[in-house]
Amino acid sequence: MTEPAAIPYGRQSIGPADVEAVAAAVQDPWLTTGPKVGEFEKAVAAVAGTRSGVAVNSGTAALHAACRAVGIGPGDEVLVPPMTFVATANAVVHCGGRPVFVDVDPGTLLMDPDAAARAVTPRTKAILAVDYAGQPCEWDRLRDIAQRSRLRLLDDACHALGATYRGKPLGDCAEAVLYSFHPVKHITTAEGGLVATNDDAIASACRRFRNHGLDSDLLERARRDTWVYDAVDFGLNYRLSDLQCALGISQMARLGPFLASRRRIAAEYDRRLRQHPLVEPLQTRKEVSHAYHLYVVRVRDGFSRDEVLRRLRARGIKATVHYPAAHLMSAYRQRFGTKPGDCPNAEDASDRILSLPMFPDLTPADQDAVLAALDAVARDPGARA
Ligand SMILES: *Cc1c(COP(=O)(O)O)cnc(C)c1O
């Protein structure tokens, strides 16, 4: 008898149309900086509800470009949640700013607006909040705080492509919305990211920044048949290739079905984990449409999260942790003096949560296997704290 295949927490879904799109794109004269980039940008901006989209080569690049575009620089404090991937806070550091970690709501693990309001100082420049797991933050409240204190407002929506807040797209919630197209995210370009914005100044700053600070790119120069360019800023090469955008365009055509599968899987977990002895799902708010990049549960009191995780993984359920609190990472402790106790809700969650398998191609049989493993671990005395 062969072992059943392990079930990862996340996995891309590549179909025949994706393969065809990439095969065609690799034979296109524009391997990069060509027309596919703009086409992909339009598709993502339509979902974000924004006028512009600027494709870049990672979610990290999108965060960096947007932080720089809103002018975050040395001496600036930026409010960020600790319950995120370190890339969020790193973007602030790369601009010379100081991430100020604001604790999360214990039920949703989203930035707590009251804690954000208390963290504002005369040096605060921006709020960079994260739509954790795919659930939009309390954007109305964050926008009030930002307006009152004249702060810039950015959305790390790397988990939240397709989510909406009070019926509105995320582009209505923050000045710039940042996406990632890493394979575990909603759609993939292998590596990739995008800045979606209704602010023309942010869009053009990001466009320049992704291309060495130049005032034009190769496609624009080809169209005008000119070789003249100027460097008007100090940028980087953060470009996303046409090859990758071809994959992105074909993936975007499936975003609707991808979201529908994720929501169906979440509803099934919700139904079958209600009053489960081992784990409790995070809270979701009614006024949002959750995009479910992750399905996160909290291990109940009396159990050891690490023992639970070890036992699930031994059974082929490759659950994992999103996230160990960012403010407790060594680099942050060393440079910014962050420490345990700074953000108690995030720290408690870091020790109690785990992410169950959640991806569009997770089959009902896979999900049954996940739930059966949770039942078995609940009965295992070794999983107790
Ligand atoms: C994935 C992710 C990023 C980084 O995106 P990359 O494309 O991997 O650079 C940043 N923030 C969050 C919340 C993410 O999930």
Side-chain angles (χ1 to χ4, degrees), residues 212-336:
H212 311 283
L214 302 191
D215 58 355
S216 60
D217 68 18
L218 221 49
L219 183 60
E220 288 156 7
R221 289 200 291 283
R223 281 177 180 150
R224 286 190 275 122
D225 195 18
T226 179
W227 59 90
V228 181
Y229 65 84
D230 186 21
V232 294
D233 189 7
F234 302 94
L236 289 160
N237 177 354
Y238 273 173
R239 296 186 304 257
L240 190 63
S241 70
D242 281 55
L243 192 53
Q244 290 169 290
C245 288
L247 177 56
I249 293 161
S250 109
Q251 286 264 298
M252 280 303 287
R254 293 165 69 206
L255 178 63
F258 285 164
L259 281 165
S261 311
R262 287 176 179 275
R263 287 171 178 150
R264 191 169 55 242
I265 292 162
E268 184 68 3
Y269 276 139
D270 283 348
R271 190 176 70 75
R272 291 170 67 181
L273 294 176
R274 203 173 290 143
Q275 307 186 347
H276 195 272
L278 183 67
V279 297
E280 172 187 27
L282 290 188
Q283 288 169 16
T284 54
R285 294 199 327 276
K286 287 185 186 53
E287 71 272 26
V288 304
S289 170
H290 197 311
Y292 288 106
H293 162 55
L294 301 174
Y295 192 89
V296 178
V297 295
R298 191 187 290 263
V299 171
R300 290 190 189 275
D301 289 345
F303 290 97
S304 154
R305 192 276 314 273
D306 290 352
E307 293 301 329
V308 168
L309 210 43
R310 198 167 293 133
R311 281 164 173 74
L312 288 174
R313 294 179 66 91
R315 289 170 180 273
I317 310 301
K318 302 299 180 187
T320 186
V321 179
H322 299 94
Y323 294 91
H327 71 292
L328 297 183
M329 295 286 154
S330 303
Y332 283 91
R333 292 189 196 218
Q334 281 155 22
R335 186 173 309 178
F336 300 105

Side-chain angles (χ1 to χ4, degrees), residues 101-185:
F101 292 95
V102 169
D103 208 357
V104 292
D105 176 280
T108 61
L109 305 187
L110 296 170
M111 183 184 275
D112 173 0
D114 293 320
R118 287 194 299 272
V120 174
T121 75
R123 289 177 303 281
T124 310
K125 174 83 179 183
I127 300 174
L128 169 52
V130 176
D131 296 320
Y132 174 79
Q135 172 160 233
C137 296
E138 291 184 60
W139 285 108
D140 283 351
R141 297 198 54 207
L142 294 177
R143 185 163 347 91
D144 282 348
I145 296 164
Q147 279 172 354
R148 212 173 321 124
S149 303
R150 297 175 176 280
L151 309 179
R152 308 303 301 261
L153 187 60
L154 302 175
D155 180 7
D156 179 339
C158 289
H159 294 183
L161 183 64
T164 59
Y165 173 77
R166 297 186 188 278
K168 293 180 299 194
L170 295 176
D172 288 357
C173 297
E175 292 176 79
V177 183
L178 298 332
Y179 294 110
S180 164
F181 310 119
H182 180 276
V184 295
K185 307 292 165 74

